[in-house]
Every structure is written in C-alpha cells, then in structure tokens.
Amino acid sequence: MTNSPYHPRIDLQEAINRSRTARRIIANTWPDASLPTILRRNLDNALDTIPALAAEIARLSTELRDNRIHRANLAAAARATLNAHSDGERDPHWYLRDELHAQGYDTEGRA
C-alpha cells in the first residue's frame, strides 16, 4: 500500500454551503406559519447535521493522515533496525526505541 494522502471525494465546504442554501430556500418559500412546525424542525435538524458531519470528516482525515505518518515512521525504524542488526551494530534496536519514544510510547526497560 502506498503512503498517499487521503482526500475526501466530496467538497466539505460545498456541502456546508448547500445546506445553507437549502435553509434559505425553505425560509423564503415557506414562511414560518405555512410550514408545519414538526416538518420545519425535522428539516432544521437534518440541515444542522451537515456542518457537524463535515467537521467530523475533517477531524478524521487529519487523524488518518497522522496515523499514516506514524505507521510509515515505524516501518522505516523497523527497516533500520533490521539493517543495523544485519550490519552487526551493537544496539540495533535503538532505531525502534527512538521512534516509539518519539510517538509517545514508553520504552524504558524494554529492549
């Protein structure tokens, strides 16, 4: 698997803009009194969900990007460790311990 960045297939800002447009159309087409309250409430709730979902997609995209970087760095450290072992280095596990420490894992007392 390549380490290419993830890009959502939809434009999140465009989805938010469309939800705002839909809300304006509803407001201009049906004045408050002419649209049943339950229907207006359901439409508002549905349209309110779109920006929240867009924000969650953006957050998850960032988390995915960070996780892919961490995975790639661990793979590089593992390769360096194997090469160091093959080369007979005194402490080949140093590369792996260093990367694990950089990612916030406690490696003290472990070889």
Side-chain angles (χ1 to χ4, degrees), residues 34-91:
S34 68
L35 190 63
T37 303
I38 189 74
L39 180 57
R40 183 173 296 279
R41 189 176 314 128
N42 286 335
L43 288 170
D44 283 341
N45 288 341
L47 293 172
D48 285 345
T49 302
I50 294 170
L53 288 173
E56 182 65 4
I57 290 168
R59 185 191 69 76
L60 290 170
S61 293
T62 299
E63 187 176 318
L64 176 61
R65 183 203 66 215
D66 292 347
N67 284 333
R68 291 180 80 164
I69 290 169
H70 289 307
R71 183 188 68 205
N73 288 342
L74 280 172
R79 286 191 303 272
T81 298
L82 292 172
N83 289 333
H85 177 73
S86 293
D87 292 344
E89 286 189 25
R90 188 178 66 79
D91 185 14

